[in-house]
Amino acid sequence: LTSRLLFAHAKNSIVEHMTGQQRSTYKLGTVPVHCTRFQMRYSINAIALATAASALSTSKLPPVVRLFGLSDLHVDYAANLATVKHLQRPPGDGHLALIIAGDVTHNRTTLRDALTALRSTFDDVFYVPGNHEAWVTSVDRADGIGDSVAKLRACEGVAEACGCRTAPAMLKDARGRAVTVAPLRGWYHASHDREPSVLPDDDGSRGFARRWADYRKCRWPPELLGRHGKEAVAHGMGAGDHELSAYFASTNDIERANTPLVTFSHYAPRYECVPEKRFLLEPCLAKVSGSDHLGELVLRLKPDVHVFGHTHIPIDIDLDGTHYLQWPLGSPREQARQCARAKALGPLEIYRTDTGVRRLGHDGAPERTAWGQYYSDKPRTPSVTEPAPWVASYRKRRAKKVREPRVPNHAGYDEEVASLSRRSIVERLEGWTDDGYTKGYDAGYVN
């Protein structure tokens, strides 16, 4: 019925715009020498049919395209998998697309379950793997997956089989407004960290390297790391990670088109996307969080928004015309701290084709992240290497291996951090109250 109505409307519109002589020819059969009455009727019908088909195609497009972002789902935790499976579709009309910025799970079966659930909730799901997806397990080896490159490709294959997108795609609404969404592969490298150490004796990398699971669970083709041999090998801090970063960045095939662009990766493209090391409970996180090669690509593309993950530290920050955002689900423990709002609110709306970038703290959006607000008011000062009070307290407790009351103490610390003594900001950055942690904890833990 809709098709017939559109055809009739298009046909009548064409006849109305004819000249008097053309209309007489069409209705009365007065045939000019250059056009028979049948030919004119046929042409009108053909044009009307094409117009109706175009209108019908346009009518199927959504009134608006809305993009949502979420990272670090870690559905290896049963509670997180339940959260993903019971995730409600956000209210409102439009074509709803979800961006997943990596670290769903290393288990391909669980990955399929999670992505299938998300694909049933959203109209589109875009996915890029994280470092956890690169872990090679005994099950993977039994299935013929012998290295982390093959494992990452297999995870992308699982996503595609679930109906998710792993390559750039353009989404368009009924009014012709478009946005391109592009996943960017990457890998971290230690030389991305150029800021001074905050530890008194060394940078702590030796002990951190023993704890960082990727160095044990990832295996790479030796030629990627500049080594010889046939057996897959491990990388390390400053040992092959730079080569991995360059390799994965080179696999991204995308050029900026004349449409708004939203890109996403698992790793941070810029060091400014991670708080200074003096604020981190694990300062070596800066050595495994970002990629210069990825940063160069993002800087060249100049997307409107870039979504990332990996550090589990929520932040929203504008740099060189691009809005950078991390909105991690994190572990169940972190959901009682810095990831509480992502757990409570679910995927965050980041872009609409009718209004553009949707920033936190504007136009009815949720409140800004604590670190986004902090760096909007204050510059980075990496030359200050004295640990923040909550970091000093954490190290003291770790050294004593005694759990002491978490009482903030700004005495003797620099004025910049002392200015955080307003209770609301202290509670959000440090997670401290008289009774312990608050749900708004934003200080971050190593993944």
Side-chain angles (χ1 to χ4, degrees), residues 31-52:
V31 182
V33 292
H34 63 277
C35 179
T36 68
R37 181 167 175 266
F38 172 78
Q39 287 175 326
M40 179 170 283
R41 282 187 180 276
Y42 179 81
S43 298
I44 291 172
N45 288 347
I47 295 171
L49 186 61
T51 304

Side-chain angles (χ1 to χ4, degrees), residues 34-112:
H34 63 277
C35 179
T36 68
R37 181 167 175 266
F38 172 78
Q39 287 175 326
M40 179 170 283
R41 282 187 180 276
Y42 179 81
S43 298
I44 291 172
N45 288 347
I47 295 171
L49 186 61
T51 304
S54 177
L56 186 61
S57 175
T58 303
S59 69
K60 293 180 179 179
L61 292 174
V64 62
V65 174
R66 301 165 61 197
L67 304 182
F68 294 77
L70 188 66
S71 72
D72 303 284
L73 278 61
H74 292 290
V75 295
D76 303 292
Y77 296 104
N80 282 18
L81 183 59
T83 296
V84 167
K85 287 186 173 182
H86 294 95
L87 196 65
Q88 297 295 312
R89 181 180 175 89
D93 297 332
H95 183 91
L96 276 56
L98 175 64
I99 288 170
I100 304 176
D103 268 12
V104 179
T105 173
H106 67 275
N107 185 299
R108 286 174 289 132
T109 301
T110 311
L111 176 65
R112 181 194 62 210

Side-chain angles (χ1 to χ4, degrees), residues 243-255:
E243 289 80 358
L244 290 175
S245 173
Y247 166 74
F248 281 108
S250 71
T251 65
N252 296 305
D253 183 15
I254 178 175
E255 294 295 334

Side-chain angles (χ1 to χ4, degrees), residues 294-349:
L294 186 62
E296 291 168 2
L297 176 59
V298 173
L299 192 61
R300 176 173 63 82
L301 292 173
K302 295 188 181 302
D304 298 85
V305 182
H306 184 85
V307 182
F308 65 100
H310 190 52
T311 64
H312 297 200
I313 304 175
I315 189 170
D316 59 305
I317 188 170
D318 287 272
L319 299 167
D320 296 325
T322 295
H323 183 63
Y324 292 85
L325 174 76
Q326 180 173 185
W327 191 252
L329 181 60
S331 70
R333 182 188 183 198
E334 291 167 328
Q335 289 160 19
R337 299 177 179 178
Q338 76 268 24
C339 298
R341 286 202 296 162
K343 173 63 166 65
L345 300 177
L348 184 68
E349 188 170 13

Side-chain angles (χ1 to χ4, degrees), residues 169-430:
M170 181 184 295
L171 304 178
K172 187 180 293 186
D173 65 22
R175 297 185 61 180
R177 298 170 299 203
V179 58
T180 299
V181 183
L184 302 179
R185 301 184 188 96
W187 196 261
Y188 56 80
H189 60 99
S191 55
H192 176 74
D193 170 34
R194 299 179 180 84
E195 296 184 339
S197 172
V198 295
L199 297 177
D201 300 324
D202 57 43
D203 62 4
S205 59
R206 182 176 299 179
F208 176 82
R210 290 195 296 267
R211 301 191 302 273
W212 188 244
D214 289 356
Y215 298 148
R216 303 188 307 275
K217 298 186 177 183
C218 294
R219 289 292 183 270
W220 305 100
E223 60 271 17
L224 281 187
L225 309 186
R227 303 177 191 174
H228 301 289
K230 296 182 179 180
E231 295 293 326
V233 296
H235 72 295
M237 186 178 292
D241 53 1
H242 190 273
E243 289 80 358
L244 290 175
S245 173
Y247 166 74
F248 281 108
S250 71
T251 65
N252 296 305
D253 183 15
I254 178 175
E255 294 295 334
R256 180 68 192 258
N258 293 324
T259 61
L261 175 64
V262 174
T263 57
F264 67 102
S265 61
H266 183 58
Y267 309 99
R270 301 179 61 145
Y271 68 89
E272 298 100 325
C273 292
V274 181
E276 296 153 70
K277 283 183 277 187
R278 60 189 173 125
F279 294 135
L280 302 177
L281 299 182
E282 178 52 82
C284 280
L285 182 62
K287 296 186 179 299
V288 293
S289 62
S291 164
D292 291 344
H293 307 93
L294 186 62
E296 291 168 2
L297 176 59
V298 173
L299 192 61
R300 176 173 63 82
L301 292 173
K302 295 188 181 302
D304 298 85
V305 182
H306 184 85
V307 182
F308 65 100
H310 190 52
T311 64
H312 297 200
I313 304 175
I315 189 170
D316 59 305
I317 188 170
D318 287 272
L319 299 167
D320 296 325
T322 295
H323 183 63
Y324 292 85
L325 174 76
Q326 180 173 185
W327 191 252
L329 181 60
S331 70
R333 182 188 183 198
E334 291 167 328
Q335 289 160 19
R337 299 177 179 178
Q338 76 268 24
C339 298
R341 286 202 296 162
K343 173 63 166 65
L345 300 177
L348 184 68
E349 188 170 13
I350 59 175
Y351 189 89
R352 296 174 59 104
T353 50
D354 57 352
T355 58
V357 179
R358 185 170 169 81
R359 287 175 169 80
L360 289 171
H362 297 274
D363 301 323
E367 184 182 3
R368 293 195 67 178
T369 64
W371 289 111
Q373 183 62 55
Y374 178 82
Y375 282 114
S376 70
D377 298 334
K378 299 176 177 63
R380 290 180 75 91
T381 53
S383 59
V384 178
T385 59
E386 183 179 357
W390 60 88
V391 177
S393 177
Y394 170 78
R395 291 180 187 166
K396 183 179 179 181
R397 293 195 312 275
R398 290 276 300 221
K400 289 184 177 181
K401 295 185 179 180
V402 175
R403 195 170 184 84
E404 298 179 352
R406 301 173 183 268
V407 180
N409 177 15
H410 294 287
Y413 200 67
D414 64 284
E415 290 299 322
E416 180 183 353
V417 176
S419 67
L420 297 177
S421 59
R422 300 194 313 275
R423 185 173 179 81
S424 61
I425 300 298
V426 169
E427 286 181 354
R428 291 175 61 203
L429 281 178
E430 304 178 21

Side-chain angles (χ1 to χ4, degrees), residues 125-198:
V125 174
F126 290 81
Y127 165 76
V128 69
N131 56 308
H132 281 229
E133 280 90 334
W135 293 357
V136 180
T137 67
S138 58
V139 174
D140 297 322
R141 294 188 184 93
D143 290 340
I145 299 174
D147 61 62
S148 294
V149 172
K151 176 64 180 294
L152 291 169
R153 288 174 180 165
C155 288
E156 288 184 344
V158 169
E160 291 163 3
C162 294
C164 302
R165 300 178 187 262
T166 61
M170 181 184 295
L171 304 178
K172 187 180 293 186
D173 65 22
R175 297 185 61 180
R177 298 170 299 203
V179 58
T180 299
V181 183
L184 302 179
R185 301 184 188 96
W187 196 261
Y188 56 80
H189 60 99
S191 55
H192 176 74
D193 170 34
R194 299 179 180 84
E195 296 184 339
S197 172
V198 295

